[in-house]
Amino acid sequence: MAFEASLIGILCYLGALSSPWLLGLTGGWYLLSRPLVSGMVVGFILGDMQTGIIIGVAVQAVYIAMVTPGGSMPADLNFVAFPAIALGILSNKGPEVAVALAATIGIAGTVLFNAMLVLNSWWNHRADIALEKGDERGIYLNSAIWPQATNFLMRFVPTFIAVYFGAQYINTFMDSLPHIVLATMNVLGGILPAVGIAILLKQIIKNYSMLIYFLVGFICIVFLKLNMVALVIVGALLALIHYNYKPEPQAASTVKPANDEDEF
């Protein structure tokens, strides 16, 4: 389990917001740290890819509308994507409990994220001092190397500890919880994905009449039992109808009525 915990810890660092190695934010934060992707990767590492994908989909629905303006995060999606999903897989309690664990760990992860920002400001101060002294090596170390080393330690160490020791104690801990606590986590975990979808709809829907398309998708899944491939085809057809055949707005008339009296 030490190898698996180390590998997940390294992936957690590579997918961090300030990690530059995987094409910057493109391959790390916006790809590897998406729970939909990390769930599959973590599940493959832990030997249960199916459960990883199921948990990743449920967690992704919660954070599908999360934005990080200026680095301000309501939850640390990186910790959600790796240690939280890993613990969800190891707990064997289903995706609902995993979602509740992810929400808790994601909020706690913001503490470490803010601590990293504070430490980085200290490295920046040391880089300013090196700049005043003309120390090129000091500038490079304090602006590139030491901040990344700090970021690595604050991502790798908590993830390694959570996965390595969680593999031994997470089942015992979860089984020791009262039934009402597990029932509450199941209920909250089932509600949170709906909250994420509602926030996304609030952001992208400009006209409430477009909610009918969401209801059509809901009917196709729940009542018609369509799979995702068929639903994508139906969605593409609705998008084609909406954007190609919707009535165009009439342009305001700019022609002024002729005056009855001639101007001299």
Side-chain angles (χ1 to χ4, degrees):
M1 182 55 69
F3 174 75
E4 290 84 352
S6 299
L7 189 56
I8 294 173
I10 293 173
L11 290 174
C12 184
Y13 163 69
L14 293 176
L17 182 62
S18 54
S19 178
W21 308 115
L22 296 179
L23 300 177
L25 295 179
T26 303
W29 177 253
Y30 288 114
L31 179 62
L32 193 60
S33 277
R34 301 302 101 176
L36 185 62
V37 177
S38 66
M40 179 187 68
V41 176
V42 173
F44 175 76
I45 294 173
L46 296 178
D48 193 352
M49 185 183 293
Q50 180 178 356
T51 302
I53 293 174
I54 293 173
I55 292 177
V57 170
V59 175
Q60 181 68 72
V62 178
Y63 297 96
I64 193 170
M66 193 186 83
V67 294
T68 56
S72 175
M73 294 192 296
D76 194 322
L77 191 60
N78 185 245
F79 278 105
V80 169
F82 290 99
I85 289 182
L87 290 177
I89 295 174
L90 295 173
S91 67
N92 295 318
K93 296 297 180 181
E96 293 82 7
V97 173
V99 167
L101 284 173
T104 305
I105 295 175
I107 295 173
T110 57
V111 177
L112 289 177
F113 178 78
N114 292 329
M116 185 192 69
L117 296 181
V118 173
L119 289 175
N120 282 346
S121 66
W122 185 68
W123 293 123
N124 289 337
H125 179 64
R126 287 175 56 89
D128 291 338
I129 296 176
L131 180 61
E132 294 175 356
K133 296 179 179 179
D135 184 4
E136 295 182 0
R137 183 173 181 272
I139 295 173
Y140 177 72
L141 290 175
N142 289 287
S143 62
I145 301 301
W146 302 135
Q148 285 303 315
T150 302
N151 188 23
F152 176 79
L153 291 176
M154 300 193 72
R155 297 289 168 181
F156 177 84
V157 174
T159 302
F160 178 85
I161 292 175
V163 177
Y164 183 75
F165 292 101
Q168 303 177 33
Y169 302 112
I170 186 64
N171 286 327
T172 304
F173 172 74
M174 297 300 294
D175 291 337
S176 65
L177 293 176
H179 176 73
I180 189 172
V181 175
L182 290 176
T184 303
M185 294 178 69
N186 275 289
V187 172
L188 294 178
I191 294 175
L192 287 175
V195 174
I197 296 296
I199 295 174
L200 177 65
L201 293 175
K202 182 67 176 178
Q203 292 179 357
I204 65 176
I205 290 182
K206 298 180 180 180
N207 189 346
Y208 287 111
S209 62
M210 295 186 68
L211 285 172
I212 189 65
Y213 296 123
F214 175 76
L215 295 178
V216 169
F218 179 79
I219 292 172
C220 289
I221 290 291
V222 176
F223 296 101
L224 300 181
K225 306 297 182 181
L226 297 182
N227 57 28
M228 293 304 299
V229 176
L231 186 63
V232 168
I233 296 175
V234 172
L237 178 62
L238 291 176
L240 178 66
I241 294 173
H242 178 82
Y243 287 103
N244 286 353
Y245 300 104
K246 66 179 180 180
E248 297 182 358
Q250 296 181 355
S253 177
T254 57
V255 180
K256 296 181 180 180
N259 294 331
D260 293 337
E261 298 179 359
D262 294 332
E263 296 182 357
F264 295 97

